[in-house]
Amino acid sequence: MNRIFSCAVLCALIFAACKKDNPYPAEATGGKKIAEISQNNVTATLWADDPTLQTGYNRLYVSLKDMRDNEISNLPVSFFPLMDMGDMKHSSPVEQPLCNPQTKKYEGAVVFTMPGSGMSAWQLDVSVDGDIFTFPLAVNARTLQQSGVYVGTDAQKYIIALVPPRKWQMGLNDLDLFICRQTSMMEFPADDGFTVELTPEMPSMEHGSPNNVNPVSVGKGHYKGKINYTMTGDWRLQLKLIKNGAVIVDGAYMDVLF
Ligand SMILES: [Cu+2]
């Protein structure tokens, strides 16, 4: 009786620390190891879907092990990206990680707003119950524009990023955008207050496509809609951001090639 009771309590605790409540597709597994750091009897491993990090939206994953090689999934974990540019430092938009009980990985995301270089490099500080693991990161410039920093007509700075899908296909696709406001060098709160107008075009052939669905806010900075690719090739997703009836950002775009 006593044993059954303590198991129930333990299970409740595990699920509280590790609940399945994240926006990522099941295919995003973080199967590529980036680096591993051991300190204070904990080994933290950083993973990504693609080992080459690029500007824009990157899913990042952390797994934790104790000295006996047991997975740890009940500690609070948070991400803090930082770029040291010498005379100043700044962070970037982040989605704080949640533990996926299937993979035991803490899954989050970072939008890198610029590529790193020798003089100004990115790092990811991962806080594990207050203990900071610092991972130096190489971030390359993405060849296609899939994120941008825009100054709005309200004089605020906004970051818009395309959340990479598993795979684009001909026809109707799910579209997910992540939108944040920059309020300081270190703070980028998600902004759920926009109406988004989406106009896809094919620059090489000068045509658009019908039956697209404007992305609408689903919370935590995410906007979900549909995009209709009537053929393969190069597509430009023109975006207009409207708030309280006023156009705040016009001329933003994301480029796709498939
Ligand atoms: Cu920078």
Side-chain angles (χ1 to χ4, degrees), residues 83 85 90 114:
M83 177 183 253
M85 301 183 75
H90 64 88
M114 55 195 294

Side-chain angles (χ1 to χ4, degrees), residues 18 26 31 36 52-53 63 82 97 104 165 174 184 198 200 226:
C18 194
E36 194 169 274
T52 308
L53 302 178
S63 60
L82 185 69
K104 299 276 178 18
D174 290 332
S184 74
L198 162 72
K226 300 264 185 198

Side-chain angles (χ1 to χ4, degrees), residues 144 146 168-171 173 200-207 227-237 254-258:
L144 295 171
Q146 295 195 342
W168 294 117
Q169 57 186 27
M170 281 262 289
N173 292 256
E201 60 177 50
M202 206 165 194
S204 63
M205 300 178 75
E206 296 187 350
H207 65 77
I227 182 149
N228 184 19
Y229 297 124
T230 48
M231 53 194 297
T232 58
D234 58 312
W235 287 90
R236 178 161 287 184
L237 285 49
M254 305 287 142
D255 280 339
V256 165
L257 181 68
F258 77 104

Side-chain angles (χ1 to χ4, degrees), residues 43-223:
T43 298
T45 309
L46 181 67
W47 308 79
D49 295 329
D50 181 343
T52 308
L53 302 178
Q54 294 181 292
T55 48
Y57 190 99
N58 294 257
R59 294 185 185 95
L60 292 171
Y61 311 73
V62 167
S63 60
L64 302 173
K65 282 187 173 175
D66 65 18
M67 288 300 104
R68 289 186 188 145
D69 228 29
N70 296 316
E71 305 259 16
I72 304 171
S73 57
N74 60 349
L75 291 178
V77 172
S78 60
F79 288 171
F80 185 72
L82 185 69
M83 177 183 253
D84 187 345
M85 301 183 75
D87 51 348
M88 65 98 151
K89 292 179 182 182
H90 64 88
S91 185
S92 69
V94 62
E95 294 208 72
Q96 290 304 336
L98 295 169
C99 183
N100 180 332
Q102 261 94 57
T103 62
K104 299 276 178 18
K105 283 178 177 143
Y106 292 82
E107 307 181 356
V110 174
V111 179
F112 295 109
T113 45
M114 55 195 294
S117 67
M119 295 298 286
S120 45
W122 283 103
Q123 69 187 53
L124 182 69
D125 286 348
V126 177
S127 168
V128 179
D129 200 17
D131 193 19
I132 308 294
F133 292 71
T134 296
F135 290 92
L137 298 179
V139 177
N140 300 315
R142 197 181 290 263
T143 47
L144 295 171
Q145 175 163 321
Q146 295 195 342
S147 65
V149 182
Y150 302 91
V151 177
T153 54
D154 58 357
Q156 306 248 36
K157 247 185 184 178
Y158 296 98
I159 288 117
I160 310 172
L162 177 66
V163 179
R166 184 175 60 90
K167 193 171 181 279
W168 294 117
Q169 57 186 27
M170 281 262 289
L172 222 49
N173 292 256
D174 290 332
L175 177 66
D176 186 1
L177 300 173
F178 183 54
I179 303 178
C180 294
R181 192 171 72 239
Q182 178 167 5
T183 56
S184 74
M185 297 310 272
M186 299 298 169
E187 286 172 299
F188 301 79
D191 194 323
D192 295 318
F194 286 110
T195 299
V196 179
E197 283 182 15
L198 162 72
T199 312
E201 60 177 50
M202 206 165 194
S204 63
M205 300 178 75
E206 296 187 350
H207 65 77
S209 72
N211 306 326
N212 298 284
V213 178
N214 285 329
V216 295
S217 171
V218 293
K220 295 183 177 174
H222 284 268
Y223 290 73

